[in-house]
Amino acid sequence: MKKIALIFVIFLSLAKSQDAQVDTLTDIEGEIFESLELDVQVDEIVEQLEFVTIELNKVSVDDLVAIPFITRETANKIIEYRDKIGGFKIREQIFDIPGIDESIKSFLYRNGYIQRPKLSFQTRTRILSRNNIRYFANDFADNSKTYQLARFGISNFSAGFVIEKDYGENKLNDLTHFFIEYKSSSFVRRFVVGSYILKFGQGILMWSPVALGKGSDVISPAARSSENHLLGYASTDEVKPLFGGAFSSRFKNIELTLFYSKTNLPSSIDTSGRVKYIDFSGINTVQKFPLTRRSFGGIVSFGSRNFSLGVLNFYEDFNRDFSASIS
């Protein structure tokens, strides 16, 4: 009885599709539910079918495989066709996908949607002064702190920048970070040009400015997922972010990240030209000598539900030698 009710629910849903050509109810029932023997299984599938929604141009292979009756082979065919045509323009293009069952096309048409690109924009400005507002212009460099941030995104692209001046610094853009980032669910998952951070090992090997910590759960975020190593950066740390280009790609359970960076770090040197210390404060009120750090390398990781493994290899050099008494 439950199985009949389920077929009736799907029939009503398919009847609402707009001018879509779908297979008969018998074909759908035979393809999707032939292996289901327990009523409880049917109930679970009904819930998933009724409430799942699919953004057709952003859904990934892993997202599709999570649907009970879609295999990885079928999911790969869907994504490959989407990439081939440059994304779905209308839902009816679902029925042109070659090599997949018509009942799955009907399901994607019924539960799928196409989100039109939306522009998002965020900006923030802050000016602090040690003086009374009436004397704001007096000794602006010594007594004022400024901060400007802007971010925007549209479709798969985003960008951002931050400009900051601390008390005692002369230039409004004493600190500047900017990035342009592309994200997708296809083979190239992420591509960044400009300032970025790599999060790997949660502070043990590669770190973000807020990643370092102590405790038994310090590497848990790295163990939970093998993704999201690479992030565009627009905040106020002068030393941790890298500057250059990087991209991350994924094929099935294997993810690869390659990166190149060349950054200048504020440092102090001794009389022989060797570096005495790197200034992590970000406040440059006296003359600092740039220390150029060049690095490149890659991360390969494999992750599944109960197991993950990653390997990082990179090369790094500096344009100055370090003093034996470096702090």
Side-chain angles (χ1 to χ4, degrees):
M1 184 66 186
K2 289 185 178 180
K3 199 169 184 180
I4 295 174
L6 171 64
I7 296 173
F8 181 69
V9 169
I10 295 180
F11 176 79
L12 291 178
S13 300
L14 292 176
K16 296 179 182 178
S17 298
Q18 302 172 1
D19 302 323
Q21 299 298 319
V22 301
D23 272 357
T24 65
L25 225 1
T26 304
D27 294 330
I28 297 175
E29 184 268 342
E31 290 292 332
I32 297 179
F33 303 108
E34 62 181 1
S35 62
L36 300 180
E37 299 177 356
L38 301 177
D39 287 343
V40 65
Q41 289 180 283
V42 176
D43 290 338
E44 292 175 357
I45 296 299
V46 168
E47 291 182 5
Q48 293 189 49
L49 289 179
E50 286 304 308
F51 296 105
V52 68
T53 57
I54 303 169
E55 211 295 9
L56 297 174
N57 284 326
K58 292 185 178 180
V59 66
S60 67
V61 170
D62 292 336
D63 296 332
L64 290 171
V65 171
I67 300 171
F69 50 83
I70 296 183
T71 65
R72 185 166 291 275
E73 179 183 4
T74 297
N76 281 324
K77 290 180 180 179
I78 295 169
I79 300 303
E80 287 171 2
Y81 181 78
R82 181 184 69 188
D83 294 341
K84 178 181 178 181
I85 65 173
F88 295 108
K89 306 300 185 296
I90 56 175
R91 284 191 303 159
E92 282 75 11
Q93 289 179 294
I94 289 292
F95 295 98
D96 298 329
I97 303 175
I100 70 171
D101 191 86
E102 293 298 319
S103 60
I104 294 178
K105 294 179 183 179
S106 299
F107 171 78
L108 293 175
Y109 180 88
R110 183 176 69 91
N111 291 61
Y113 68 97
I114 297 174
Q115 183 175 348
R116 303 304 174 187
K118 295 181 179 179
L119 176 65
S120 62
F121 184 77
Q122 174 193 17
T123 183
R124 182 183 303 158
T125 298
R126 182 169 62 242
I127 301 177
L128 303 176
S129 177
R130 291 171 174 167
N131 290 330
N132 186 289
I133 190 66
R134 290 179 299 175
Y135 308 106
F136 176 73
N138 296 342
D139 299 321
F140 180 81
D142 290 333
N143 297 307
S144 298
K145 177 181 175 71
T146 65
Y147 172 88
Q148 295 85 38
L149 167 73
R151 292 174 179 267
F152 80 90
I154 183 170
S155 188
N156 294 336
F157 291 90
S158 61
F161 72 85
V162 63
I163 299 173
E164 186 193 46
K165 180 193 104 54
D166 281 309
Y167 295 116
E169 296 176 339
N170 293 315
K171 297 188 297 183
L172 286 174
N173 63 335
D174 185 84
L175 178 145
T176 303
H177 288 306
F178 69 89
F179 72 89
I180 300 174
E181 183 174 17
Y182 168 81
K183 294 185 291 185
S184 79
S185 58
S186 59
F187 176 73
V188 177
R189 288 297 183 91
R190 189 163 302 196
F191 179 77
V192 177
V193 176
S195 300
Y196 64 92
I197 54 176
L198 292 171
K199 299 172 66 174
F200 186 79
Q202 195 63 13
I204 298 175
L205 296 174
M206 287 289 189
W207 57 84
S208 68
V210 295
L212 294 178
K214 295 181 180 180
S216 59
D217 61 345
V218 67
I219 64 171
S220 294
R224 281 198 298 268
S225 173
S226 60
E227 297 188 53
N228 297 327
H229 294 310
L230 176 60
L231 298 169
Y233 186 79
S235 192
T236 57
D237 191 289
E238 289 196 23
V239 178
K240 302 285 180 62
L242 304 174
F243 183 85
F247 86 96
S248 179
S249 63
R250 184 177 176 88
F251 178 72
K252 295 185 177 180
N253 290 336
I254 300 175
E255 184 172 4
L256 170 67
T257 301
L258 298 176
F259 61 92
Y260 173 83
S261 170
K262 185 176 181 180
T263 56
N264 288 325
L265 311 179
S267 64
S268 178
I269 63 174
D270 60 20
T271 55
S272 64
R274 296 175 180 268
V275 176
K276 293 191 298 184
Y277 67 87
I278 298 173
D279 188 354
F280 287 85
S281 70
I283 301 175
N284 303 311
T285 58
V286 297
Q287 183 182 10
K288 300 290 175 61
F289 295 88
L291 172 66
T292 302
R293 177 184 64 189
R294 185 172 63 101
S295 58
F296 58 88
I299 302 167
V300 179
S301 59
F302 172 85
S304 63
R305 179 173 299 180
N306 299 315
F307 176 79
S308 63
L309 173 67
V311 176
L312 164 68
N313 184 46
F314 75 100
Y315 171 85
E316 185 170 71
D317 65 13
F318 298 86
N319 69 331
R320 295 178 184 271
D321 292 329
F322 289 84
S323 170
S325 61
I326 186 171
S327 57

